[in-house]
Amino acid sequence: MFFASCDPDRENLSLYSNADGSWVVSLPAEEVPPELPEPALGINFARDGMKRGDWLALVAVHSDAWLMAVAFYYSAKFSADQRKKLFDLINSLPTTYEVLSGKGGKKMKVSVFVRKKKMDEEFFAGLFFLLAATRFE
Amino acid sequence: MFFASCDPDRENLSLYSNADGSWVVSLPAEEVPPELPEPALGINFARDGMKRGDWLALVAVHSDAWLMAVAFYYSAKFSADQRKKLFDLINSLPTTYEVLSGKGGKKMKVSVFVRKKKMDEEFFAGLFFLLAATRFE
């Protein structure tokens, strides 16, 4: 259970998404600077100082921000047009925060699809976050 | 000078952008979880293990990813249409990486504008990152 895994007595923890769409609460990357943008650190420390709903919203908003960072980190070599296409794909789905707050349609599992796509003249790893929902609890 | 300020003998450092458009190399936020998404940690540790150009590119790509995270963290309550407008504004300017690699037009200082704008029925803090360039060195 997400709530229990965020024990404030543990070290600094972050919520990571795996490429298969699952989420896991884990210690931060040991590598510094990290290979990829890192999600918000220490979400467990905030757990018991806030209303549960507010805390879940905070984690969801940080997770959405982090997914954008990862997507645009991977697409650093995209052209502006390619970035726009990527953004439109991401934006065609509700954010984690919207789903959590009931604005994003029915609850479902977060899915993250990574696919390669030929864009213009070059191959890039096209990272399409097909965000839907997550049941944190 | 950016290069000198990233001394690998110092602690974990990150490159932050201030609201006035200036950039500063600094220790990470003490607050955990942080109030805002945090930029890549420990950029100074990578400085001397890479070619200077590759290292600058790495920092630029991490900075672009971080700015996206901050923009979409602030706009968590935006609708999909509002997120699209925000993205189009951001995307109308070259990324830091593009400017660094000479694909983004002439070099100039990175500017970050924060303004409030009335969108649809509600007021939101509209964060428009008018990214241009930066002279890191």
Side-chain angles (χ1 to χ4, degrees):
Chain A
M1 194 173 114
F2 177 67
F3 188 86
S5 66
C6 289
D7 184 344
D9 289 334
R10 294 178 66 193
E11 291 178 78
N12 270 334
L13 295 169
S14 298
L15 180 61
Y16 290 85
S17 169
N18 295 317
D20 68 2
S22 61
W23 292 82
V24 61
V25 175
S26 179
L27 288 166
E30 289 186 17
E31 190 183 2
V32 173
E35 192 182 350
L36 291 176
E38 282 279 289
L41 187 66
I43 54 170
N44 51 316
F45 296 151
R47 192 193 70 176
D48 294 346
M50 306 172 70
K51 286 185 191 166
R52 186 180 290 204
D54 292 345
W55 175 68
L56 288 170
L58 178 75
V59 175
V61 170
H62 268 297
S63 297
D64 285 322
W66 172 62
L67 289 168
M68 291 297 283
V70 173
F72 286 94
Y73 182 84
Y74 273 122
S75 56
K77 293 191 174 177
F78 277 22
S79 68
D81 278 352
Q82 290 167 335
R83 288 195 297 270
K84 182 173 166 50
K85 283 178 194 167
L86 174 61
F87 177 80
D88 287 343
L89 281 166
I90 294 170
N91 202 41
S92 68
L93 290 156
T95 65
T96 311
Y97 172 73
E98 283 173 336
V99 175
L100 184 76
S101 57
K103 295 172 190 161
K106 67 188 176 111
K107 291 199 173 189
M108 38 187 156
K109 285 216 145 201
V110 174
S111 301
V112 180
F113 291 80
V114 183
R115 50 188 267 219
K116 284 183 184 287
K117 188 180 170 90
K118 192 171 185 184
M119 286 184 158
D120 299 336
E121 300 305 316
E122 295 171 89
F123 275 101
F124 292 119
L127 220 147
F128 303 127
F129 289 95
L130 301 184
L131 295 179
T134 185
R135 272 205 192 86
F136 282 122
E137 291 180 276
Chain B
M1 194 172 114
F2 177 66
F3 187 85
S5 67
C6 289
D7 185 344
D9 288 336
R10 294 177 65 194
E11 291 178 77
N12 270 335
L13 296 168
S14 298
L15 179 61
Y16 290 85
S17 171
N18 295 317
D20 67 1
S22 62
W23 291 81
V24 61
V25 175
S26 179
L27 288 167
E30 288 185 18
E31 190 182 3
V32 172
E35 192 181 350
L36 291 175
E38 282 280 289
L41 187 66
I43 53 171
N44 51 317
F45 297 151
R47 191 192 70 175
D48 294 345
M50 306 171 71
K51 286 184 191 167
R52 186 181 291 205
D54 291 345
W55 175 68
L56 288 169
L58 178 75
V59 175
V61 170
H62 267 297
S63 296
D64 285 322
W66 172 63
L67 290 168
M68 292 297 284
V70 174
F72 287 93
Y73 182 84
Y74 272 121
S75 56
K77 293 191 174 179
F78 277 21
S79 68
D81 278 353
Q82 291 166 334
R83 289 195 297 270
K84 182 172 165 52
K85 284 177 193 165
L86 174 61
F87 178 81
D88 287 345
L89 282 166
I90 295 170
N91 202 41
S92 68
L93 291 155
T95 64
T96 312
Y97 172 74
E98 283 173 337
V99 175
L100 184 78
S101 57
K103 295 173 191 161
K106 67 187 176 106
K107 290 199 175 191
M108 39 185 155
K109 285 215 145 198
V110 173
S111 301
V112 180
F113 292 79
V114 182
R115 52 189 267 218
K116 284 184 185 284
K117 187 179 170 88
K118 191 171 185 185
M119 286 182 157
D120 299 338
E121 301 304 316
E122 295 172 272
F123 275 102
F124 291 120
L127 222 147
F128 304 127
F129 290 96
L130 302 185
L131 295 179
T134 186
R135 270 203 194 85
F136 281 123
E137 293 181 277

